[in-house]
Amino acid sequence: APDQPPAPPAIASQSGGCGVAGGRMTDTRRRVKVYTLNEDRQWDDRGTGHVSSCYVERLKGMSLLVRAESDGSLLLESKINPNTAYQKQQDTLIVWSEAENYDLALSFQEKAGCDEIWEKICQVQGKDPSVDITQDLVDESEEERFDDMSSPGLELPSCELSRLEEIAELVASSLPSPLRREKLALALENEGYIKKLLEIFHVCEDLENIEGLHHLYEIIKGIFLLNRTALFEVMFSEECIMDVIGCLEYDPSLSQSRKHREFLTKTAKFKEVIPISDPELKQKIHQTYRVQYIQDMVLPTPSVFEENMLSTLHSFIFFNKVEIVGMLQEDEKFLTDLFAQLTDEATDEEKRQELVNFLKEFCAFSQTLQPQNRDAFFKTLSNMGILPALEVILGMDDAQVRSAATDIFSYLVEYNPSMVREFVMQEAQQNDDDILLINLIIEHMICDTDPELGGAVLLMGLLRTLVDPENMLATANKTEKTEFLGFFYKHCMHVLTAPLLANTTEDKPSKDDFQTAQLLALILELLTFCVEHHTYHIKNYIINKDILRRVLVLMASKHAFLALCALRFKRKIIGLKDEFYNRYIMKSFLFEPVVKAFLNNGSRYNLMNSAIIEMFEFIRVEDIKSLTAHVIENYWKALEDVDYVQTFKGLKLRFEQQRERQDNPKLDSMRSILRNHRYRRDARTLEDEEEMWFNTDEDDMEDGEAVVPPSDKTKNDEDIMDPISKFMERKKLKESEEKEVLLKTNLSGRQSPSFKLSFSSGTKSNLTSPSSASNLPGSPGSPGSPGSPGSPGSVSKSTSQMAAITTKVILNGL
């Protein structure tokens, strides 16, 4: 690349404790920026740090290490392989390939640091540090290696028309060998050979010598594949670049030459929307456009083997863009004129469109900047008034201009959402809600004419970023979250929900076409996000505006994705387990649309069926008592026949258990006493099984029980009685004194725990005994679970027998 990224300010940092200098570094010699080449052949900035070289035991060799200057973390750990070709460019860049299609670059702040690391690399590889590229000689023959080492350089044929074929063959034969490529590049540089070749190009064109032009095409293409920055600087200079493009027009594989120069000089027009006074900047813009054109349109698509050979060309373009953005940013008059014309009402439509397109491309170029330089770039745009300018542009009728303005707005939101939030809150103090920037964005989203709502999806993502509390700042003086959410719900939420409220005035959606359904689904997605992250702001809005009832109207939509969005919105609310929401749901009977949709879905096993059942299952498992009672009391008759899952029977069981505890508060308090081990006769400890007997009750079963499958329906009385009989035999061996105490307790009205639990099981309901018996050693699963003989509303035969036998045996024991 011709230029390094703009040098960061010098600061002290630590090198990581290895390398030539080692220890703590107080200079900026080895301060570097790490770049990697992505799939789009663009350089990605991986961070700033300090480079060092040392032996790494894990990699078994000398390695390059870069530690981040911010936290000391490892940005790069790369072994210096003897066979890797490293290349030094422009005195401050070292570029190499780690693996196929994975290129790395170190951009040094100072030349001295680059030279130091380059010497270390050359030392490891046994190379001369005076060269700009190291070579791989592994695949070369002994004769070639000897030939290359014995000859000081490559001798080029004299640059004449008659020897073009010889030159083309020499270039082609040199490409496979890294060492021969290096020598060919040095020869081309030293002898000013490229300019001589371009002079012959003019002669060939004048003579219409097609064969010579075909040879020149091959030669120039081969020079590109040498991947040499110094050669690119000559080829892309103002005097040479158009002739280079001319040579590339005569591809031998094509029957007719391409007219690239004609396109660049006549068709492609350079528009200065704002006059650029700096000639160097203007030349750099022209050069970058033409080189980009060569890469994208002129050069043939590189093969897999040639892909990495053009990495320097990608770097050249990348660093040119960095320099252009920096030079424009420093030209205050240019930016001032740009924003003045953007917001001037007298500016005509065509001119304004050109200004907006320029600003969009300017922001796109800024993505190549290093983070600290990108910060300065967007601060400059903010100080120039980019947000007020965008507000004016978004209010215009031209769809293309609005689209470009939306793209610019997305760059700003992704860079710094807090800056945008601060602007819209200040703006609200002066303007009506209708013309607020954020409301303009919402209106564009709602009015998107694209059938697939591509623009609306982008704008919804930007709104989501703006209302996301995760990226809001909290300082000692103010809390951005509180201030902005208060503003948003007061000034903007009514605009966002307007299409939803307008479409749900009756029992079914008034408009149910695909585009409307897509828009409402997007709005519901954002509202669901708000329910999860905004707590009381969205809660007040939903309850006061009766939003959930209106959303559930969409359950009747013919579009399944929209009905599921509405269901997901309600599921998110129920998932909060907030009693304010629960009371609102019960008061307005908001399970009715869900139950109706469930019944209308019939026996179809689809996503709607599963999602609704999962909602009720959540209520059962989490034991949300208020909603359980509400569902059973109001919708049990509609749901009692659903037996392919045990969810609704499980809900009924929960409901029955709640009722029993309400009807028997003394029983519930007795169980609480037993659970807390307060019922003690004396200091002696109970035996393990006896303690288990007293401490077991239905609450233990509730907390972790699973719904028992219908197949678990029978119990063996003998299996149940076996552990009880053993237990009672031990009871008979108790001292008579203990028996007397138990009998006295029973006669005084305080029944023994054994008698109480067994009696209630046999006479009142089936809910207590199964949980008690199920926890005895050797007994099967709980017979009181849904689907078992002891399901709500019935007492199983085996359970009744067990309860009666248990009562009898215990009485005999006493």
Side-chain angles (χ1 to χ4, degrees):
D3 299 290
Q4 67 179 48
I11 55 173
S13 186
Q14 189 165 336
S15 70
C18 57
V20 178
R24 181 172 296 276
M25 295 184 66
T26 55
D27 57 45
T28 58
R29 237 173 349 133
R30 298 207 196 165
R31 196 167 189 266
V32 296
K33 182 68 74 174
V34 180
Y35 289 98
T36 59
L37 200 64
N38 62 27
E39 293 177 356
D40 298 324
R41 312 303 296 169
Q42 299 295 322
W43 287 104
D44 289 336
D45 183 353
R46 295 302 184 191
T48 303
H50 284 77
V51 64
S52 59
S53 61
C54 63
Y55 185 85
V56 176
E57 181 64 33
R58 183 174 61 82
L59 300 177
K60 304 294 184 186
M62 291 296 293
S63 304
L64 297 177
L65 306 178
V66 179
R67 294 196 176 274
E69 64 180 5
S70 57
D71 57 6
S73 61
L74 204 59
L75 294 178
L76 176 69
E77 184 181 59
S78 173
K79 180 181 177 181
I80 303 174
N81 286 309
N83 301 326
T84 298
Y86 293 83
Q87 186 176 2
K88 187 167 74 165
Q89 302 175 6
Q90 287 298 298
D91 294 331
T92 54
L93 283 170
I94 297 177
V95 183
W96 72 99
S97 295
E98 282 279 289
E100 186 176 355
N101 292 330
Y102 184 66
D103 290 5
L104 287 160
L106 293 180
S107 174
F108 288 77
Q109 182 169 336
E110 296 184 8
K111 179 180 182 297
C114 183
D115 291 342
E116 196 174 321
I117 294 299
W118 182 250
E119 287 177 10
K120 179 62 67 175
I121 292 170
C122 291
Q123 179 184 336
V124 172
Q125 294 198 338
K127 309 297 179 186
D128 183 356
S130 63
V131 301
D132 287 344
I133 185 169
T134 62
Q135 287 82 28
D136 176 7
L137 301 176
V138 173
D139 296 330
E140 296 177 353
S141 66
E142 289 297 323
E143 293 83 3
E144 185 178 5
R145 183 186 302 185
F146 178 79
D147 179 59
D148 286 334
M149 292 175 67
S150 60
S151 59
L154 195 67
E155 192 171 328
L156 292 171
S158 59
C159 194
E160 299 172 4
L161 179 59
S162 60
R163 305 191 69 176
L164 284 178
E165 184 176 1
E166 185 182 346
I167 298 170
E169 288 176 357
L170 175 65
V171 171
S173 65
S174 299
L175 291 176
S177 165
L179 186 58
R180 288 179 66 81
R181 280 207 311 270
E182 171 69 15
K183 291 186 174 182
L184 175 61
L186 287 172
L188 290 170
E189 284 178 50
N190 297 336
E191 299 179 23
Y193 211 79
I194 292 176
K195 291 185 179 179
K196 295 177 184 177
L197 287 171
L198 296 178
E199 289 174 6
I200 295 179
F201 166 71
H202 287 294
V203 173
C204 288
E205 272 208 317
D206 293 341
L207 298 175
E208 296 184 357
N209 185 339
I210 301 301
E211 184 181 357
L213 292 170
H214 285 170
H215 289 317
L216 282 167
Y217 171 89
E218 297 292 351
I219 294 168
I220 296 297
K221 178 190 169 187
I223 294 175
F224 268 98
L225 295 177
L226 291 175
N227 211 24
R228 184 83 172 187
T229 306
L231 297 177
F232 286 160
E233 288 180 342
V234 175
M235 296 164 73
F236 299 153
S237 64
E238 185 71 25
E239 58 181 314
C240 295
I241 189 166
M242 294 306 288
D243 290 338
V244 169
I245 294 171
C247 290
L248 293 172
E249 290 180 351
Y250 295 94
D251 185 347
S253 63
L254 301 176
S255 57
Q256 286 188 334
S257 62
R258 298 288 180 87
K259 305 295 182 184
H260 297 302
R261 286 172 295 174
E262 184 179 323
F263 173 83
L264 288 172
T265 53
K266 296 180 180 178
T267 307
K269 298 294 183 183
F270 176 63
K271 294 182 179 179
E272 286 187 80
V273 289
I274 302 291
I276 296 173
S277 55
D278 186 348
E280 183 184 353
L281 172 58
K282 192 181 296 187
Q283 188 273 331
K284 186 72 70 175
I285 293 171
H286 282 301
Q287 183 190 59
T288 305
Y289 175 78
R290 290 165 179 169
V291 175
Q292 187 87 56
Y293 182 83
I294 290 173
Q295 178 185 263
D296 296 341
M297 304 300 297
V298 180
L299 286 176
T301 304
S303 68
V304 174
F305 303 105
E306 295 175 334
E307 184 73 26
N308 285 338
M309 290 184 174
L310 293 174
S311 59
T312 306
L313 182 61
H314 299 303
S315 303
F316 188 97
I317 296 169
F318 171 83
F319 291 114
N320 258 21
K321 289 180 178 179
V322 169
E323 193 169 350
I324 289 169
V325 172
M327 294 170 78
L328 282 173
Q329 190 179 332
E330 291 167 6
D331 191 340
E332 290 187 8
K333 182 179 183 304
F334 178 87
L335 291 177
T336 305
D337 291 349
L338 172 67
F339 285 103
Q341 291 191 34
L342 264 177
T343 53
D344 188 352
E345 294 181 2
T347 305
D348 62 72
E349 295 283 324
E350 186 178 352
K351 178 72 170 177
R352 184 174 277 109
Q353 184 174 340
E354 291 175 355
L355 290 166
V356 174
N357 286 333
F358 169 81
L359 188 56
K360 175 185 170 182
E361 191 169 359
F362 191 32
C363 290
F365 269 37
S366 73
Q367 301 306 297
T368 62
L369 294 174
Q370 299 175 30
Q372 63 268 33
N373 293 338
R374 197 180 308 146
D375 290 348
F377 171 80
F378 280 110
K379 281 178 183 173
T380 302
L381 292 187
S382 178
N383 294 337
M384 290 288 178
I386 189 169
L387 286 168
L390 285 178
E391 193 170 31
V392 172
I393 298 165
L394 286 167
M396 295 178 178
D397 296 329
D398 191 320
Q400 287 186 327
V401 168
R402 288 204 312 266
S403 175
T406 302
D407 290 337
I408 297 168
F409 184 69
S410 71
Y411 285 121
L412 295 171
V413 172
E414 289 168 12
Y415 159 70
N416 191 348
S418 292
M419 177 180 76
V420 178
R421 285 191 283 259
E422 185 178 356
F423 170 77
V424 295
M425 284 191 289
Q426 291 175 352
E427 177 193 32
Q429 300 170 4
Q430 305 166 355
N431 299 332
D432 296 334
D433 288 357
D434 293 342
I435 59 173
L436 294 179
L437 175 60
I438 202 163
N439 284 345
L440 286 173
I441 295 295
I442 295 173
E443 286 171 15
H444 287 318
M445 181 195 78
I446 293 170
C447 301
D448 188 4
T449 55
D450 179 7
E452 298 296 327
L453 294 186
V457 172
L458 170 65
L459 293 172
M460 182 59 71
L462 298 178
L463 286 173
R464 181 169 173 156
T465 302
L466 288 174
V467 300
D468 187 355
E470 294 295 321
N471 59 45
M472 294 184 185
L473 305 174
T475 62
N477 300 326
K478 62 176 183 177
T479 304
E480 185 182 17
K481 177 180 176 181
T482 304
E483 291 186 4
F484 181 75
L485 292 183
F487 156 82
F488 183 79
Y489 280 87
K490 181 178 179 181
H491 298 280
C492 309
M493 186 57 98
H494 67 279
V495 182
L496 179 66
T497 56
L500 171 68
L501 298 176
N503 208 38
T504 54
T505 53
E506 301 173 3
D507 292 338
K508 60 181 182 179
S510 53
K511 283 183 69 179
D512 204 17
D513 58 279
F514 179 71
Q515 192 163 353
T516 303
Q518 271 196 310
L519 175 62
L520 294 177
L522 282 175
I523 293 171
L524 282 179
E525 184 180 335
L526 186 58
L527 290 177
T528 305
F529 177 83
C530 294
V531 167
E532 186 175 4
H533 292 88
H534 291 177
T535 59
Y536 66 90
H537 288 95
I538 188 69
K539 186 195 304 181
N540 291 339
Y541 191 82
I542 288 173
I543 293 174
N544 292 336
K545 302 291 185 183
D546 199 15
I547 294 294
L548 180 55
R549 184 179 66 80
R550 305 295 283 272
V551 167
L552 291 175
V553 169
L554 302 176
M555 293 286 293
S557 171
K558 66 182 180 184
H559 299 285
F561 70 87
L562 181 57
L564 287 166
C565 283
L567 183 63
R568 187 160 55 245
F569 179 70
K570 180 171 182 175
R571 173 65 178 81
K572 187 67 72 176
I573 290 174
I574 291 175
L576 297 175
K577 297 191 285 188
D578 186 318
E579 281 302 313
F580 283 99
Y581 276 129
N582 293 347
R583 284 196 291 272
Y584 162 60
I585 289 170
M586 293 185 292
K587 182 180 178 182
S588 302
F589 293 92
L590 294 180
F591 276 102
E592 186 173 326
V594 177
V595 173
K596 189 179 293 185
F598 180 69
L599 297 175
N600 289 340
N601 192 62
S603 58
R604 282 176 290 179
Y605 181 52
N606 53 19
L607 191 55
M608 177 66 72
N609 175 277
S610 299
I612 293 174
I613 289 174
E614 188 278 333
M615 179 191 291
F616 286 111
E617 181 70 10
F618 176 82
I619 295 170
R620 185 195 72 79
V621 171
E622 296 295 324
D623 196 15
I624 305 175
K625 294 179 174 58
S626 56
L627 295 184
T628 299
H630 176 75
V631 170
I632 296 302
E633 287 171 356
N634 293 282
Y635 308 106
W636 173 243
K637 287 186 178 180
L639 301 171
E640 64 179 336
D641 292 332
V642 179
D643 56 4
Y644 53 87
V645 290
Q646 301 303 309
T647 295
F648 300 108
K649 287 183 171 59
L651 272 176
K652 183 72 184 299
L653 177 60
R654 289 284 194 202
F655 177 68
E656 296 285 354
Q657 290 169 344
Q658 291 173 27
R659 291 289 293 270
E660 172 145 354
R661 279 197 289 270
Q662 291 170 3
D663 293 344
N664 297 277
K666 291 182 180 178
L667 175 63
D668 200 49
S669 64
M670 174 62 77
R671 288 175 182 146
S672 176
I673 291 171
L674 294 176
R675 264 198 308 275
N676 293 328
H677 303 282
R678 294 173 186 164
Y679 189 81
R680 297 291 188 190
R681 290 176 290 250
D682 52 31
R684 289 174 297 176
T685 59
L686 297 173
E687 293 180 11
D688 290 342
E689 288 188 342
E690 189 174 3
E691 186 168 316
M692 179 187 71
W693 175 273
F694 285 140
N695 289 336
T696 301
D697 78 347
E698 63 191 80
D699 290 337
D700 296 336
M701 178 187 73
E702 286 175 22
D703 293 340
E705 74 175 351
V707 178
V708 177
S711 60
D712 192 12
K713 290 185 176 180
T714 60
K715 291 192 176 296
N716 189 315
D717 289 346
E718 292 180 4
D719 289 345
I720 294 172
M721 286 307 301
D722 183 54
I724 298 176
S725 300
K726 290 180 181 178
F727 170 72
M728 293 316 303
E729 286 175 9
R730 284 194 294 273
K731 287 285 289 182
K732 289 178 181 179
L733 297 175
K734 291 285 184 180
E735 294 177 353
S736 58
E737 182 184 343
E738 184 178 347
K739 292 179 182 178
E740 289 175 5
V741 171
L742 288 170
L743 285 169
K744 286 178 182 179
T745 303
N746 188 31
L747 292 171
S748 64
R750 294 181 61 193
Q751 297 168 312
S752 71
S754 302
F755 182 81
K756 177 67 177 177
L757 291 171
S758 301
F759 183 78
S760 65
S761 299
T763 60
K764 289 198 173 182
S765 81
N766 62 310
L767 297 177
T768 307
S769 174
S771 63
S772 303
S774 65
N775 284 282
L776 290 171
S779 67
S782 166
S785 302
S788 70
S791 59
S794 67
V795 179
S796 70
K797 184 177 180 182
S798 62
T799 304
S800 301
Q801 290 174 347
M802 181 199 73
I805 294 168
T806 305
T807 305
K808 182 177 180 181
V809 173
I810 293 176
L811 285 172
N812 289 338
L814 295 175

